[in-house]
Amino acid sequence: MSEINYSQPDPQAALQSEIQAHLFNADGQPRTVGVIGYPVEHSLSPALQNAAFAYYKLPHRYQKWAVAPEELKAFLEKVKREEFLGLNVTVPHKQAVLPALDETDEVVKLTGAANTLLADNGKLAGYNTDPAGFLEALKNEVNFDPRGKRTMVIGAGGAARGVVLALASQGASEIAVANRTYDKAVDLVAQFAPIFPNSHIYATPLDPASWPFNRNPRALVVNATSQGLLEPDKEFPVSAEALSGRDPDRHTIFFDLTYGDTPFLKMVRPLAAHVLDGLTMLVYQGAQGFEFWTGLAAPISVMLEAARTALAEREKGH
Ligand code: ATR
């Protein structure tokens, strides 16, 4: 990944009294914030969010709660009652939280999932920060704008849905959705193609023999499958050459939504203009959450470093 010197927000200048008031309860205690999942102990979100709170010298401790599916409803009622600052939501609750939300936006409706909740005045608003986080990561890390670009998304689950929405919303000219189970790619495309008529969004099997020839290489290929998570020691099933298209000049950016040095990234690196991994995505989607909750600019490089350190420690522990 390219090294970028971020200019970090000024922690003193940003902490105006109005923002401060929102961050604390009437009794002066910091409002509660954290992540729910099941399981949740391996979540890296506490590391990156606590680094951001510490950057602003705020006393909040971002927590993690293992909430079983049958406990979810009661937990969300508590979040409303006790006026939490907000929550991140991870597997398996991203869809299950929807009925408890008082407000959602178009991104939640189109992806069918919320990963960030905002509690206010006894109400819960839900957002999905994945698509915006994905786009911010591309813009800030590798200066990539999808407008007018040929792209491919591998996978057709929830993660792929967020990526297709992000790319289509920014006017990618072509989005090939390649999936091992072809019918799932067809279903995904059927949802998005009518909403974004200016992008050519089409389904294809995960088999280069069925990909149409085009003289131009793909500008971006995103691995939104769980292959690297499920089979970390196996090779990715499709070659880098086939994924990038005709690319003698290393024009293609490859983005794997799984953390770390995945089989996909190992394979594509020699052919890649840039590679990005899922930890970058985690940080940028988390940065959006931090900004929603606090109204403060997220200190991206501090959060990235904290996430990388936490991942390295987690991997040592295994
Ligand atoms: P998520 O919510 O993270 O997107 P998901 O809905 O379980 O997770 O989707 C996982 C995706 O990874 C699917 O597109 C799946 O392909 P299938 O639809 O064919 O199951 C894909 N996937 C998982 N393991 C894979 C592998 N070894 N090779 C290729 N694709 C794989």
Side-chain angles (χ1 to χ4, degrees), residues 138 142-145 149-151 215-221 240-241 243-255 268-275:
L138 282 170
V142 295
N143 194 24
F144 180 81
D145 175 0
K149 304 286 186 357
R150 290 190 73 214
T151 66
R215 285 196 305 116
N216 301 315
R218 294 187 183 90
L220 173 72
V221 177
E241 288 82 357
L243 293 172
S244 64
R246 190 170 159 279
D247 186 20
D249 297 325
R250 296 171 50 132
H251 281 308
T252 307
I253 294 168
F254 292 90
F255 199 152
V268 299
R269 194 168 278 113
L271 264 194
H274 297 284
V275 299

PDB file of all heavy atoms in Angstrom, residues 138 142-145 149-151 215-221 240-241 243-255 268-275:
ATOM      1  N   LEU A 138     -10.727   4.009  -1.202  1.00  0.00           N
ATOM      2  CA  LEU A 138     -10.181   4.096  -2.567  1.00  0.00           C
ATOM      3  C   LEU A 138      -9.698   5.506  -2.883  1.00  0.00           C
ATOM      4  O   LEU A 138      -8.645   5.701  -3.500  1.00  0.00           O
ATOM      5  CB  LEU A 138     -11.249   3.685  -3.580  1.00  0.00           C
ATOM      6  CG  LEU A 138     -11.481   2.181  -3.730  1.00  0.00           C
ATOM      7  CD1 LEU A 138     -12.721   1.916  -4.562  1.00  0.00           C
ATOM      8  CD2 LEU A 138     -10.267   1.497  -4.365  1.00  0.00           C
ATOM      9  N   VAL A 142      -5.588   5.444  -2.640  1.00  0.00           N
ATOM     10  CA  VAL A 142      -5.001   5.250  -3.975  1.00  0.00           C
ATOM     11  C   VAL A 142      -5.566   6.212  -5.009  1.00  0.00           C
ATOM     12  O   VAL A 142      -5.406   6.000  -6.216  1.00  0.00           O
ATOM     13  CB  VAL A 142      -5.155   3.774  -4.451  1.00  0.00           C
ATOM     14  CG1 VAL A 142      -4.364   2.846  -3.552  1.00  0.00           C
ATOM     15  CG2 VAL A 142      -6.606   3.324  -4.486  1.00  0.00           C
ATOM     16  N   ASN A 143      -6.264   7.262  -4.524  1.00  0.00           N
ATOM     17  CA  ASN A 143      -6.751   8.317  -5.407  1.00  0.00           C
ATOM     18  C   ASN A 143      -7.601   7.776  -6.564  1.00  0.00           C
ATOM     19  O   ASN A 143      -7.431   8.168  -7.711  1.00  0.00           O
ATOM     20  CB  ASN A 143      -5.540   9.101  -5.951  1.00  0.00           C
ATOM     21  CG  ASN A 143      -5.972  10.404  -6.586  1.00  0.00           C
ATOM     22  OD1 ASN A 143      -7.039  10.928  -6.245  1.00  0.00           O
ATOM     23  ND2 ASN A 143      -5.183  10.912  -7.506  1.00  0.00           N
ATOM     24  N   PHE A 144      -8.502   6.855  -6.225  1.00  0.00           N
ATOM     25  CA  PHE A 144      -9.315   6.204  -7.262  1.00  0.00           C
ATOM     26  C   PHE A 144     -10.752   6.717  -7.223  1.00  0.00           C
ATOM     27  O   PHE A 144     -11.393   6.713  -6.171  1.00  0.00           O
ATOM     28  CB  PHE A 144      -9.311   4.679  -7.055  1.00  0.00           C
ATOM     29  CG  PHE A 144     -10.133   3.941  -8.088  1.00  0.00           C
ATOM     30  CD1 PHE A 144      -9.605   3.669  -9.345  1.00  0.00           C
ATOM     31  CD2 PHE A 144     -11.425   3.517  -7.799  1.00  0.00           C
ATOM     32  CE1 PHE A 144     -10.358   2.993 -10.301  1.00  0.00           C
ATOM     33  CE2 PHE A 144     -12.184   2.829  -8.745  1.00  0.00           C
ATOM     34  CZ  PHE A 144     -11.643   2.571 -10.000  1.00  0.00           C
ATOM     35  N   ASP A 145     -11.252   7.125  -8.394  1.00  0.00           N
ATOM     36  CA  ASP A 145     -12.643   7.546  -8.546  1.00  0.00           C
ATOM     37  C   ASP A 145     -13.303   6.576  -9.544  1.00  0.00           C
ATOM     38  O   ASP A 145     -12.834   6.452 -10.676  1.00  0.00           O
ATOM     39  CB  ASP A 145     -12.651   8.982  -9.099  1.00  0.00           C
ATOM     40  CG  ASP A 145     -14.052   9.480  -9.400  1.00  0.00           C
ATOM     41  OD1 ASP A 145     -15.023   8.730  -9.193  1.00  0.00           O
ATOM     42  OD2 ASP A 145     -14.171  10.637  -9.846  1.00  0.00           O
ATOM     43  N   LYS A 149     -15.300   3.922 -14.978  1.00  0.00           N
ATOM     44  CA  LYS A 149     -14.291   2.846 -14.954  1.00  0.00           C
ATOM     45  C   LYS A 149     -14.919   1.458 -15.127  1.00  0.00           C
ATOM     46  O   LYS A 149     -16.052   1.217 -14.718  1.00  0.00           O
ATOM     47  CB  LYS A 149     -13.532   2.876 -13.618  1.00  0.00           C
ATOM     48  CG  LYS A 149     -12.880   4.190 -13.285  1.00  0.00           C
ATOM     49  CD  LYS A 149     -11.652   4.401 -14.119  1.00  0.00           C
ATOM     50  CE  LYS A 149     -10.827   5.629 -13.783  1.00  0.00           C
ATOM     51  NZ  LYS A 149     -11.247   6.539 -12.779  1.00  0.00           N
ATOM     52  N   ARG A 150     -14.121   0.558 -15.726  1.00  0.00           N
ATOM     53  CA  ARG A 150     -14.511  -0.858 -15.822  1.00  0.00           C
ATOM     54  C   ARG A 150     -14.116  -1.544 -14.519  1.00  0.00           C
ATOM     55  O   ARG A 150     -12.938  -1.485 -14.115  1.00  0.00           O
ATOM     56  CB  ARG A 150     -13.741  -1.562 -16.939  1.00  0.00           C
ATOM     57  CG  ARG A 150     -14.091  -1.165 -18.327  1.00  0.00           C
ATOM     58  CD  ARG A 150     -13.406  -2.133 -19.317  1.00  0.00           C
ATOM     59  NE  ARG A 150     -14.045  -3.422 -19.305  1.00  0.00           N
ATOM     60  CZ  ARG A 150     -13.410  -4.592 -19.482  1.00  0.00           C
ATOM     61  NH1 ARG A 150     -12.104  -4.626 -19.649  1.00  0.00           N
ATOM     62  NH2 ARG A 150     -14.082  -5.726 -19.468  1.00  0.00           N
ATOM     63  N   THR A 151     -15.060  -2.208 -13.886  1.00  0.00           N
ATOM     64  CA  THR A 151     -14.771  -2.839 -12.598  1.00  0.00           C
ATOM     65  C   THR A 151     -15.333  -4.256 -12.556  1.00  0.00           C
ATOM     66  O   THR A 151     -16.215  -4.603 -13.340  1.00  0.00           O
ATOM     67  CB  THR A 151     -15.388  -2.039 -11.427  1.00  0.00           C
ATOM     68  OG1 THR A 151     -16.820  -2.107 -11.522  1.00  0.00           O
ATOM     69  CG2 THR A 151     -14.958  -0.586 -11.445  1.00  0.00           C
ATOM     70  N   ARG A 215     -10.489  -4.895 -24.910  1.00  0.00           N
ATOM     71  CA  ARG A 215      -9.090  -4.483 -25.040  1.00  0.00           C
ATOM     72  C   ARG A 215      -8.602  -3.696 -23.824  1.00  0.00           C
ATOM     73  O   ARG A 215      -7.419  -3.638 -23.552  1.00  0.00           O
ATOM     74  CB  ARG A 215      -8.914  -3.626 -26.309  1.00  0.00           C
ATOM     75  CG  ARG A 215      -8.941  -4.469 -27.595  1.00  0.00           C
ATOM     76  CD  ARG A 215      -8.391  -3.697 -28.764  1.00  0.00           C
ATOM     77  NE  ARG A 215      -9.101  -2.434 -28.945  1.00  0.00           N
ATOM     78  CZ  ARG A 215      -8.552  -1.238 -28.827  1.00  0.00           C
ATOM     79  NH1 ARG A 215      -7.277  -1.123 -28.549  1.00  0.00           N
ATOM     80  NH2 ARG A 215      -9.263  -0.156 -29.020  1.00  0.00           N
ATOM     81  N   ASN A 216      -9.531  -3.081 -23.097  1.00  0.00           N
ATOM     82  CA  ASN A 216      -9.117  -2.271 -21.950  1.00  0.00           C
ATOM     83  C   ASN A 216      -9.066  -3.122 -20.683  1.00  0.00           C
ATOM     84  O   ASN A 216      -9.972  -3.908 -20.437  1.00  0.00           O
ATOM     85  CB  ASN A 216     -10.108  -1.134 -21.711  1.00  0.00           C
ATOM     86  CG  ASN A 216     -10.211  -0.249 -22.918  1.00  0.00           C
ATOM     87  OD1 ASN A 216      -9.194   0.106 -23.492  1.00  0.00           O
ATOM     88  ND2 ASN A 216     -11.430   0.065 -23.314  1.00  0.00           N
ATOM     89  N   PRO A 217      -8.025  -2.939 -19.863  1.00  0.00           N
ATOM     90  CA  PRO A 217      -7.985  -3.685 -18.605  1.00  0.00           C
ATOM     91  C   PRO A 217      -9.056  -3.170 -17.646  1.00  0.00           C
ATOM     92  O   PRO A 217      -9.567  -2.061 -17.816  1.00  0.00           O
ATOM     93  CB  PRO A 217      -6.595  -3.376 -18.051  1.00  0.00           C
ATOM     94  CG  PRO A 217      -6.196  -2.099 -18.693  1.00  0.00           C
ATOM     95  CD  PRO A 217      -6.864  -2.062 -20.032  1.00  0.00           C
ATOM     96  N   ARG A 218      -9.397  -3.986 -16.645  1.00  0.00           N
ATOM     97  CA  ARG A 218     -10.299  -3.485 -15.602  1.00  0.00           C
ATOM     98  C   ARG A 218      -9.504  -2.549 -14.690  1.00  0.00           C
ATOM     99  O   ARG A 218      -8.347  -2.818 -14.354  1.00  0.00           O
ATOM    100  CB  ARG A 218     -10.872  -4.641 -14.787  1.00  0.00           C
ATOM    101  CG  ARG A 218     -11.768  -5.522 -15.628  1.00  0.00           C
ATOM    102  CD  ARG A 218     -12.499  -6.588 -14.832  1.00  0.00           C
ATOM    103  NE  ARG A 218     -13.252  -7.378 -15.788  1.00  0.00           N
ATOM    104  CZ  ARG A 218     -12.765  -8.469 -16.393  1.00  0.00           C
ATOM    105  NH1 ARG A 218     -11.559  -8.907 -16.100  1.00  0.00           N
ATOM    106  NH2 ARG A 218     -13.485  -9.103 -17.282  1.00  0.00           N
ATOM    107  N   ALA A 219     -10.138  -1.452 -14.275  1.00  0.00           N
ATOM    108  CA  ALA A 219      -9.451  -0.490 -13.410  1.00  0.00           C
ATOM    109  C   ALA A 219      -9.434  -0.958 -11.961  1.00  0.00           C
ATOM    110  O   ALA A 219      -8.519  -0.632 -11.203  1.00  0.00           O
ATOM    111  CB  ALA A 219     -10.161   0.864 -13.508  1.00  0.00           C
ATOM    112  N   LEU A 220     -10.464  -1.742 -11.590  1.00  0.00           N
ATOM    113  CA  LEU A 220     -10.600  -2.161 -10.185  1.00  0.00           C
ATOM    114  C   LEU A 220     -11.224  -3.546 -10.139  1.00  0.00           C
ATOM    115  O   LEU A 220     -12.221  -3.805 -10.815  1.00  0.00           O
ATOM    116  CB  LEU A 220     -11.523  -1.172  -9.454  1.00  0.00           C
ATOM    117  CG  LEU A 220     -11.923  -1.537  -8.021  1.00  0.00           C
ATOM    118  CD1 LEU A 220     -10.726  -1.368  -7.073  1.00  0.00           C
ATOM    119  CD2 LEU A 220     -13.076  -0.652  -7.533  1.00  0.00           C
ATOM    120  N   VAL A 221     -10.630  -4.430  -9.329  1.00  0.00           N
ATOM    121  CA  VAL A 221     -11.232  -5.747  -9.077  1.00  0.00           C
ATOM    122  C   VAL A 221     -11.343  -5.914  -7.565  1.00  0.00           C
ATOM    123  O   VAL A 221     -10.351  -5.772  -6.834  1.00  0.00           O
ATOM    124  CB  VAL A 221     -10.379  -6.892  -9.667  1.00  0.00           C
ATOM    125  CG1 VAL A 221     -11.007  -8.243  -9.327  1.00  0.00           C
ATOM    126  CG2 VAL A 221     -10.248  -6.732 -11.187  1.00  0.00           C
ATOM    127  N   ALA A 240      -4.668 -13.705 -11.697  1.00  0.00           N
ATOM    128  CA  ALA A 240      -4.628 -12.236 -11.727  1.00  0.00           C
ATOM    129  C   ALA A 240      -4.786 -11.707 -13.143  1.00  0.00           C
ATOM    130  O   ALA A 240      -5.455 -10.693 -13.373  1.00  0.00           O
ATOM    131  CB  ALA A 240      -3.319 -11.748 -11.120  1.00  0.00           C
ATOM    132  N   GLU A 241      -4.172 -12.392 -14.121  1.00  0.00           N
ATOM    133  CA  GLU A 241      -4.261 -11.944 -15.520  1.00  0.00           C
ATOM    134  C   GLU A 241      -5.711 -11.934 -15.972  1.00  0.00           C
ATOM    135  O   GLU A 241      -6.180 -10.977 -16.597  1.00  0.00           O
ATOM    136  CB  GLU A 241      -3.466 -12.881 -16.454  1.00  0.00           C
ATOM    137  CG  GLU A 241      -1.971 -12.765 -16.350  1.00  0.00           C
ATOM    138  CD  GLU A 241      -1.411 -13.573 -15.173  1.00  0.00           C
ATOM    139  OE1 GLU A 241      -2.206 -14.175 -14.419  1.00  0.00           O
ATOM    140  OE2 GLU A 241      -0.183 -13.567 -15.005  1.00  0.00           O
ATOM    141  N   LEU A 243      -8.345 -11.742 -14.135  1.00  0.00           N
ATOM    142  CA  LEU A 243      -9.137 -10.754 -13.395  1.00  0.00           C
ATOM    143  C   LEU A 243      -8.903  -9.340 -13.913  1.00  0.00           C
ATOM    144  O   LEU A 243      -9.835  -8.546 -14.050  1.00  0.00           O
ATOM    145  CB  LEU A 243      -8.794 -10.799 -11.899  1.00  0.00           C
ATOM    146  CG  LEU A 243      -9.193 -12.074 -11.170  1.00  0.00           C
ATOM    147  CD1 LEU A 243      -8.619 -12.071  -9.759  1.00  0.00           C
ATOM    148  CD2 LEU A 243     -10.704 -12.226 -11.117  1.00  0.00           C
ATOM    149  N   SER A 244      -7.644  -9.026 -14.193  1.00  0.00           N
ATOM    150  CA  SER A 244      -7.356  -7.647 -14.599  1.00  0.00           C
ATOM    151  C   SER A 244      -7.757  -7.391 -16.045  1.00  0.00           C
ATOM    152  O   SER A 244      -7.933  -6.259 -16.469  1.00  0.00           O
ATOM    153  CB  SER A 244      -5.885  -7.312 -14.390  1.00  0.00           C
ATOM    154  OG  SER A 244      -5.107  -8.112 -15.212  1.00  0.00           O
ATOM    155  N   GLY A 245      -7.917  -8.479 -16.829  1.00  0.00           N
ATOM    156  CA  GLY A 245      -8.144  -8.287 -18.258  1.00  0.00           C
ATOM    157  C   GLY A 245      -6.786  -8.053 -18.898  1.00  0.00           C
ATOM    158  O   GLY A 245      -5.739  -8.386 -18.329  1.00  0.00           O
ATOM    159  N   ARG A 246      -6.782  -7.455 -20.061  1.00  0.00           N
ATOM    160  CA  ARG A 246      -5.506  -7.222 -20.747  1.00  0.00           C
ATOM    161  C   ARG A 246      -4.785  -6.071 -20.049  1.00  0.00           C
ATOM    162  O   ARG A 246      -5.227  -4.937 -20.069  1.00  0.00           O
ATOM    163  CB  ARG A 246      -5.807  -6.875 -22.203  1.00  0.00           C
ATOM    164  CG  ARG A 246      -4.609  -6.838 -23.089  1.00  0.00           C
ATOM    165  CD  ARG A 246      -5.069  -6.725 -24.534  1.00  0.00           C
ATOM    166  NE  ARG A 246      -4.009  -6.209 -25.369  1.00  0.00           N
ATOM    167  CZ  ARG A 246      -3.709  -4.906 -25.462  1.00  0.00           C
ATOM    168  NH1 ARG A 246      -4.399  -4.023 -24.796  1.00  0.00           N
ATOM    169  NH2 ARG A 246      -2.728  -4.517 -26.245  1.00  0.00           N
ATOM    170  N   ASP A 247      -3.670  -6.392 -19.368  1.00  0.00           N
ATOM    171  CA  ASP A 247      -3.072  -5.373 -18.505  1.00  0.00           C
ATOM    172  C   ASP A 247      -1.565  -5.476 -18.460  1.00  0.00           C
ATOM    173  O   ASP A 247      -0.981  -5.829 -17.443  1.00  0.00           O
ATOM    174  CB  ASP A 247      -3.638  -5.519 -17.081  1.00  0.00           C
ATOM    175  CG  ASP A 247      -3.172  -4.397 -16.182  1.00  0.00           C
ATOM    176  OD1 ASP A 247      -2.748  -3.352 -16.692  1.00  0.00           O
ATOM    177  OD2 ASP A 247      -3.210  -4.574 -14.954  1.00  0.00           O
ATOM    178  N   PRO A 248      -0.890  -5.149 -19.549  1.00  0.00           N
ATOM    179  CA  PRO A 248       0.562  -5.248 -19.499  1.00  0.00           C
ATOM    180  C   PRO A 248       1.204  -4.175 -18.619  1.00  0.00           C
ATOM    181  O   PRO A 248       2.338  -4.307 -18.208  1.00  0.00           O
ATOM    182  CB  PRO A 248       0.966  -5.070 -20.972  1.00  0.00           C
ATOM    183  CG  PRO A 248      -0.163  -4.321 -21.592  1.00  0.00           C
ATOM    184  CD  PRO A 248      -1.387  -4.671 -20.831  1.00  0.00           C
ATOM    185  N   ASP A 249       0.461  -3.117 -18.325  1.00  0.00           N
ATOM    186  CA  ASP A 249       1.067  -1.979 -17.618  1.00  0.00           C
ATOM    187  C   ASP A 249       0.649  -1.858 -16.154  1.00  0.00           C
ATOM    188  O   ASP A 249       0.766  -0.787 -15.563  1.00  0.00           O
ATOM    189  CB  ASP A 249       0.714  -0.669 -18.341  1.00  0.00           C
ATOM    190  CG  ASP A 249       1.281  -0.658 -19.739  1.00  0.00           C
ATOM    191  OD1 ASP A 249       2.381  -1.214 -19.912  1.00  0.00           O
ATOM    192  OD2 ASP A 249       0.616  -0.126 -20.634  1.00  0.00           O
ATOM    193  N   ARG A 250       0.158  -2.912 -15.573  1.00  0.00           N
ATOM    194  CA  ARG A 250      -0.236  -2.887 -14.156  1.00  0.00           C
ATOM    195  C   ARG A 250      -1.147  -1.711 -13.845  1.00  0.00           C
ATOM    196  O   ARG A 250      -0.844  -0.874 -12.999  1.00  0.00           O
ATOM    197  CB  ARG A 250       1.019  -2.835 -13.270  1.00  0.00           C
ATOM    198  CG  ARG A 250       1.866  -4.072 -13.405  1.00  0.00           C
ATOM    199  CD  ARG A 250       3.207  -3.920 -12.699  1.00  0.00           C
ATOM    200  NE  ARG A 250       3.049  -3.436 -11.339  1.00  0.00           N
ATOM    201  CZ  ARG A 250       3.640  -3.976 -10.278  1.00  0.00           C
ATOM    202  NH1 ARG A 250       4.369  -5.054 -10.410  1.00  0.00           N
ATOM    203  NH2 ARG A 250       3.489  -3.443  -9.110  1.00  0.00           N
ATOM    204  N   HIS A 251      -2.282  -1.651 -14.532  1.00  0.00           N
ATOM    205  CA  HIS A 251      -3.223  -0.559 -14.309  1.00  0.00           C
ATOM    206  C   HIS A 251      -4.262  -0.874 -13.243  1.00  0.00           C
ATOM    207  O   HIS A 251      -5.008  -0.011 -12.828  1.00  0.00           O
ATOM    208  CB  HIS A 251      -3.995  -0.267 -15.609  1.00  0.00           C
ATOM    209  CG  HIS A 251      -3.213   0.532 -16.590  1.00  0.00           C
ATOM    210  ND1 HIS A 251      -2.600   1.707 -16.245  1.00  0.00           N
ATOM    211  CD2 HIS A 251      -2.940   0.323 -17.897  1.00  0.00           C
ATOM    212  CE1 HIS A 251      -1.985   2.190 -17.308  1.00  0.00           C
ATOM    213  NE2 HIS A 251      -2.163   1.364 -18.315  1.00  0.00           N
ATOM    214  N   THR A 252      -4.364  -2.143 -12.860  1.00  0.00           N
ATOM    215  CA  THR A 252      -5.521  -2.565 -12.058  1.00  0.00           C
ATOM    216  C   THR A 252      -5.259  -2.418 -10.560  1.00  0.00           C
ATOM    217  O   THR A 252      -4.201  -2.813 -10.068  1.00  0.00           O
ATOM    218  CB  THR A 252      -5.885  -4.027 -12.386  1.00  0.00           C
ATOM    219  OG1 THR A 252      -6.049  -4.142 -13.794  1.00  0.00           O
ATOM    220  CG2 THR A 252      -7.170  -4.441 -11.686  1.00  0.00           C
ATOM    221  N   ILE A 253      -6.259  -1.870  -9.859  1.00  0.00           N
ATOM    222  CA  ILE A 253      -6.245  -1.834  -8.394  1.00  0.00           C
ATOM    223  C   ILE A 253      -7.028  -3.050  -7.909  1.00  0.00           C
ATOM    224  O   ILE A 253      -8.129  -3.321  -8.414  1.00  0.00           O
ATOM    225  CB  ILE A 253      -6.902  -0.538  -7.877  1.00  0.00           C
ATOM    226  CG1 ILE A 253      -6.052   0.670  -8.272  1.00  0.00           C
ATOM    227  CG2 ILE A 253      -7.107  -0.600  -6.362  1.00  0.00           C
ATOM    228  CD1 ILE A 253      -6.749   2.000  -8.057  1.00  0.00           C
ATOM    229  N   PHE A 254      -6.458  -3.794  -6.978  1.00  0.00           N
ATOM    230  CA  PHE A 254      -7.129  -4.973  -6.423  1.00  0.00           C
ATOM    231  C   PHE A 254      -7.439  -4.705  -4.948  1.00  0.00           C
ATOM    232  O   PHE A 254      -6.560  -4.279  -4.194  1.00  0.00           O
ATOM    233  CB  PHE A 254      -6.236  -6.215  -6.524  1.00  0.00           C
ATOM    234  CG  PHE A 254      -6.004  -6.685  -7.935  1.00  0.00           C
ATOM    235  CD1 PHE A 254      -4.931  -6.205  -8.673  1.00  0.00           C
ATOM    236  CD2 PHE A 254      -6.855  -7.617  -8.514  1.00  0.00           C
ATOM    237  CE1 PHE A 254      -4.702  -6.643  -9.965  1.00  0.00           C
ATOM    238  CE2 PHE A 254      -6.630  -8.061  -9.813  1.00  0.00           C
ATOM    239  CZ  PHE A 254      -5.562  -7.577 -10.541  1.00  0.00           C
ATOM    240  N   PHE A 255      -8.681  -4.981  -4.560  1.00  0.00           N
ATOM    241  CA  PHE A 255      -9.138  -4.699  -3.195  1.00  0.00           C
ATOM    242  C   PHE A 255      -9.761  -5.973  -2.654  1.00  0.00           C
ATOM    243  O   PHE A 255     -10.703  -6.501  -3.243  1.00  0.00           O
ATOM    244  CB  PHE A 255     -10.193  -3.582  -3.261  1.00  0.00           C
ATOM    245  CG  PHE A 255     -10.475  -2.836  -1.979  1.00  0.00           C
ATOM    246  CD1 PHE A 255     -10.914  -1.518  -2.029  1.00  0.00           C
ATOM    247  CD2 PHE A 255     -10.342  -3.432  -0.737  1.00  0.00           C
ATOM    248  CE1 PHE A 255     -11.190  -0.794  -0.866  1.00  0.00           C
ATOM    249  CE2 PHE A 255     -10.605  -2.731   0.433  1.00  0.00           C
ATOM    250  CZ  PHE A 255     -11.033  -1.413   0.365  1.00  0.00           C
ATOM    251  N   VAL A 268      -2.383 -11.544  -6.727  1.00  0.00           N
ATOM    252  CA  VAL A 268      -2.487 -10.421  -7.671  1.00  0.00           C
ATOM    253  C   VAL A 268      -1.339  -9.422  -7.547  1.00  0.00           C
ATOM    254  O   VAL A 268      -1.098  -8.648  -8.467  1.00  0.00           O
ATOM    255  CB  VAL A 268      -3.829  -9.650  -7.499  1.00  0.00           C
ATOM    256  CG1 VAL A 268      -5.006 -10.561  -7.777  1.00  0.00           C
ATOM    257  CG2 VAL A 268      -3.945  -8.983  -6.134  1.00  0.00           C
ATOM    258  N   ARG A 269      -0.632  -9.453  -6.426  1.00  0.00           N
ATOM    259  CA  ARG A 269       0.353  -8.389  -6.159  1.00  0.00           C
ATOM    260  C   ARG A 269       1.306  -8.110  -7.325  1.00  0.00           C
ATOM    261  O   ARG A 269       1.518  -6.937  -7.680  1.00  0.00           O
ATOM    262  CB  ARG A 269       1.108  -8.685  -4.859  1.00  0.00           C
ATOM    263  CG  ARG A 269       1.882  -7.480  -4.368  1.00  0.00           C
ATOM    264  CD  ARG A 269       2.403  -7.616  -2.953  1.00  0.00           C
ATOM    265  NE  ARG A 269       1.397  -7.302  -1.948  1.00  0.00           N
ATOM    266  CZ  ARG A 269       0.878  -8.169  -1.109  1.00  0.00           C
ATOM    267  NH1 ARG A 269       1.261  -9.428  -1.141  1.00  0.00           N
ATOM    268  NH2 ARG A 269      -0.024  -7.796  -0.235  1.00  0.00           N
ATOM    269  N   PRO A 270       1.888  -9.143  -7.956  1.00  0.00           N
ATOM    270  CA  PRO A 270       2.830  -8.845  -9.052  1.00  0.00           C
ATOM    271  C   PRO A 270       2.210  -8.091 -10.225  1.00  0.00           C
ATOM    272  O   PRO A 270       2.916  -7.438 -10.987  1.00  0.00           O
ATOM    273  CB  PRO A 270       3.291 -10.237  -9.512  1.00  0.00           C
ATOM    274  CG  PRO A 270       2.941 -11.162  -8.415  1.00  0.00           C
ATOM    275  CD  PRO A 270       1.786 -10.574  -7.681  1.00  0.00           C
ATOM    276  N   LEU A 271       0.892  -8.183 -10.355  1.00  0.00           N
ATOM    277  CA  LEU A 271       0.229  -7.527 -11.494  1.00  0.00           C
ATOM    278  C   LEU A 271      -0.502  -6.249 -11.098  1.00  0.00           C
ATOM    279  O   LEU A 271      -1.118  -5.599 -11.936  1.00  0.00           O
ATOM    280  CB  LEU A 271      -0.802  -8.484 -12.103  1.00  0.00           C
ATOM    281  CG  LEU A 271      -0.411  -9.312 -13.300  1.00  0.00           C
ATOM    282  CD1 LEU A 271      -1.654  -9.904 -13.949  1.00  0.00           C
ATOM    283  CD2 LEU A 271       0.316  -8.431 -14.336  1.00  0.00           C
ATOM    284  N   ALA A 272      -0.445  -5.891  -9.821  1.00  0.00           N
ATOM    285  CA  ALA A 272      -1.337  -4.832  -9.331  1.00  0.00           C
ATOM    286  C   ALA A 272      -0.704  -3.449  -9.394  1.00  0.00           C
ATOM    287  O   ALA A 272       0.492  -3.289  -9.110  1.00  0.00           O
ATOM    288  CB  ALA A 272      -1.722  -5.121  -7.882  1.00  0.00           C
ATOM    289  N   ALA A 273      -1.508  -2.445  -9.743  1.00  0.00           N
ATOM    290  CA  ALA A 273      -1.069  -1.059  -9.580  1.00  0.00           C
ATOM    291  C   ALA A 273      -1.019  -0.740  -8.081  1.00  0.00           C
ATOM    292  O   ALA A 273      -0.067  -0.123  -7.592  1.00  0.00           O
ATOM    293  CB  ALA A 273      -2.055  -0.123 -10.277  1.00  0.00           C
ATOM    294  N   HIS A 274      -2.044  -1.174  -7.351  1.00  0.00           N
ATOM    295  CA  HIS A 274      -2.108  -1.038  -5.889  1.00  0.00           C
ATOM    296  C   HIS A 274      -2.935  -2.196  -5.353  1.00  0.00           C
ATOM    297  O   HIS A 274      -3.814  -2.685  -6.056  1.00  0.00           O
ATOM    298  CB  HIS A 274      -2.837   0.244  -5.468  1.00  0.00           C
ATOM    299  CG  HIS A 274      -2.167   1.491  -5.904  1.00  0.00           C
ATOM    300  ND1 HIS A 274      -1.043   1.998  -5.290  1.00  0.00           N
ATOM    301  CD2 HIS A 274      -2.479   2.347  -6.895  1.00  0.00           C
ATOM    302  CE1 HIS A 274      -0.689   3.114  -5.895  1.00  0.00           C
ATOM    303  NE2 HIS A 274      -1.543   3.349  -6.880  1.00  0.00           N
ATOM    304  N   VAL A 275      -2.683  -2.573  -4.099  1.00  0.00           N
ATOM    305  CA  VAL A 275      -3.601  -3.493  -3.432  1.00  0.00           C
ATOM    306  C   VAL A 275      -4.088  -2.849  -2.136  1.00  0.00           C
ATOM    307  O   VAL A 275      -3.368  -2.092  -1.495  1.00  0.00           O
ATOM    308  CB  VAL A 275      -2.962  -4.870  -3.108  1.00  0.00           C
ATOM    309  CG1 VAL A 275      -2.516  -5.578  -4.368  1.00  0.00           C
ATOM    310  CG2 VAL A 275      -1.812  -4.735  -2.125  1.00  0.00           C
TER     311      VAL A 275
END
